């Protein structure tokens, strides 16, 4: 990998590990709907001139039905649900739970007949879900099942989104799909966001939403497209395994969240399980529906 490739890779690993801490700060003062609305609107508007310059939007909106479905399961639902979960759960815990997305995707893709279970994959799933179980059992107050359910729905949405891309939107410009889905999500959030808008914005919440929109959305997608061009889609997906480590590090150091036994046990198990469960067998071809690249990478790219 070139120096530019390594720089982009490390930047993406950090950028998509940061959102969980920012969301945690933002939802202390803002409703999760308002946070998601600000992120999608600002991020979409920043990408809009580039998408228009490259004529990437027109073909996307001609397929508005699959675009709407993708937006609902990959952005509108998950970005609200993550914010809701972080009103009660630590950001590092949420980041690690969402790292299980590739495991969910493997199950869905296999059930659809695009892949198959073998001993390695089954082992990976068992190891990964054992890590999730350790995290939930040791770290999370089971008296708040709604937050756990919100993250569960998020992981399912993140796993379904790439299947929609693969079947209905894969031939469209990725930048157009990203921009279109962000603006469509903002339009969906808008009525509720206006109703829930606070009387005043605190500096911490405002800067967090702005950081989410500019750095973790607009800049992140542009960097990710550059990373794909530099190192290819397969290597780019490895950022999946860096993001939760960054989320945990930021949660512990910046937000004074505890480094718990559940994290110590669950983190290596989830990552090891994801690597084992999503790696292709030597005799497998490159066809089929790929698994998601990264929890926060909701880009409509072949590997995401």
């Amino acid at each position: 990998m070139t120096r530019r490739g390594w720089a982009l890779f490390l930047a993406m690993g950090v950028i998509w590990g940061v959102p969980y801490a920012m969301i945690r700060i933002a939802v202390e003062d803002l409703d999760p709907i308002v946070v998601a609305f600000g992120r999608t609107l600002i991020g979409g508007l920043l990408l809009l001139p580039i998408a228009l310059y490259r004529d990437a939007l027109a073909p996307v909106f001609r397929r508005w039905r699959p675009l709407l479905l993708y937006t609902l399961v990959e952005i509108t639902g998950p970005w609200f649900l993550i914010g809701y979960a972080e009103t009660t759960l630590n950001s590092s815990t949420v980041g690690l739970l969402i790292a299980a997305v590739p495991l969910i995707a493997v199950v869905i893709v296999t059930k659809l007949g695009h892949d198959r279970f073998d001993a390695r994959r089954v082992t990976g799933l068992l190891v990964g879900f054992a890590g999730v179980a350790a995290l939930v059992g040791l770290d999370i107050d089971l008296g708040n099942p709604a937050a756990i359910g919100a993250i569960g729905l998020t992981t399912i949405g993140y796993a379904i989104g790439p299947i929609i891309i693969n079947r209905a939107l894969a031939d469209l410009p990725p930048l157009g799909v990203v921009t279109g889905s962000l603006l469509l999500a903002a339009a969906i959030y808008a009525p509720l966001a206006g109703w829930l808008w606070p009387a005043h914005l605190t500096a911490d919440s405002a800067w967090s939403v702005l950081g989410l929109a500019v750095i973790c959305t607009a800049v992140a997608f542009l960097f990710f497209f550059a990373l794909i061009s530099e190192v290819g889609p397969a290597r780019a997906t490895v950022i999946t395994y860096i993001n939760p480590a960054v989320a945990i590090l930021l949660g512990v150091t910046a937000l004074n969240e505890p480094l718990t036994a559940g994290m110590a046990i669950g983190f290596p198990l989830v990552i090891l399980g994801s690597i084992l469960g999503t790696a292709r067998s030597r005799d497998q071809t490159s066809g089929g529906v790929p698994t998601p690249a990264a929890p926060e990478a909701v880009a409509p790219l072949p590997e995401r």
Side-chain angles (χ1 to χ4, degrees):
M1 191 184 299
T2 65
R3 289 184 178 179
R4 182 172 184 268
W6 276 113
L8 289 168
F9 179 82
L10 293 174
M12 288 308 309
V14 173
I15 287 173
W16 270 331
V18 165
Y20 304 105
M22 289 188 173
I23 292 170
R24 177 67 175 174
I25 294 171
V27 296
E28 289 182 358
D29 299 306
L30 300 176
D31 188 273
I33 287 285
V34 175
V35 175
F37 170 71
R39 180 181 182 183
T40 52
L41 179 64
I42 299 171
L45 291 177
L46 288 174
L47 293 175
L48 181 59
I50 305 172
L52 290 174
Y53 177 77
R54 297 183 181 179
D55 195 24
L57 277 178
V60 169
F61 280 111
R62 282 196 286 270
R63 295 191 204 168
W64 65 269
R65 289 182 179 86
L67 178 68
L68 174 60
L69 181 59
Y70 171 79
T71 301
L72 291 173
V73 303
E74 194 82 11
I75 295 181
T76 311
W79 289 11
F80 161 69
L81 291 171
I82 291 173
Y84 169 76
E86 289 206 38
T87 59
T88 56
L89 299 180
N90 289 333
S91 65
S92 49
T93 300
V94 171
L96 185 49
L97 285 173
I98 293 178
V101 167
L103 302 174
I104 304 294
V106 165
V107 174
I108 294 175
V109 168
T110 303
K111 289 298 182 181
L112 289 174
H114 297 289
D115 215 327
R116 62 182 178 81
F117 285 118
D118 56 21
R120 172 193 47 77
R121 182 151 291 171
V122 171
T123 300
L125 291 174
L126 292 176
V127 170
F129 285 122
V132 173
L135 183 70
V136 172
L138 295 175
D139 286 2
I140 297 178
D141 180 5
L142 298 179
N144 185 16
I148 302 173
I151 297 303
L153 290 174
T154 296
T155 59
I156 294 171
Y158 276 174
I160 292 174
I163 299 174
I164 299 172
I165 290 292
N166 183 269
R167 294 189 171 187
L169 302 170
D171 60 324
L172 298 177
L175 179 61
V177 179
V178 169
T179 306
S181 59
L182 287 172
L183 294 176
L184 186 55
I188 294 171
Y189 288 135
L192 282 175
W195 182 47
L196 296 169
W197 198 264
H200 67 280
L201 293 173
T202 64
D204 287 347
S205 61
W207 281 111
S208 293
V209 172
L210 189 62
L212 283 167
V214 177
I215 299 173
C216 303
T217 304
V219 172
F221 282 125
L222 294 177
F223 275 29
F224 194 53
F225 299 151
L227 180 63
I228 294 296
S229 299
E230 184 73 20
V231 305
R235 287 184 179 179
T237 62
V238 181
I239 60 174
T240 303
Y241 311 120
I242 297 177
N243 297 345
V246 174
I248 291 173
L249 179 64
L250 286 175
V252 172
T253 58
L255 301 181
N256 295 318
E257 295 176 351
L259 181 60
T260 63
M263 290 178 191
I265 298 172
F267 175 70
L269 292 179
V270 169
I271 301 306
L272 176 60
S274 294
I275 294 172
L276 291 174
T278 60
R280 289 188 176 277
S281 302
R282 291 182 179 179
D283 60 345
Q284 283 183 285
T285 65
S286 60
V289 180
T291 56
E296 268 298 310
V298 292
L301 298 167
E303 79 285 344
R304 181 65 186 95

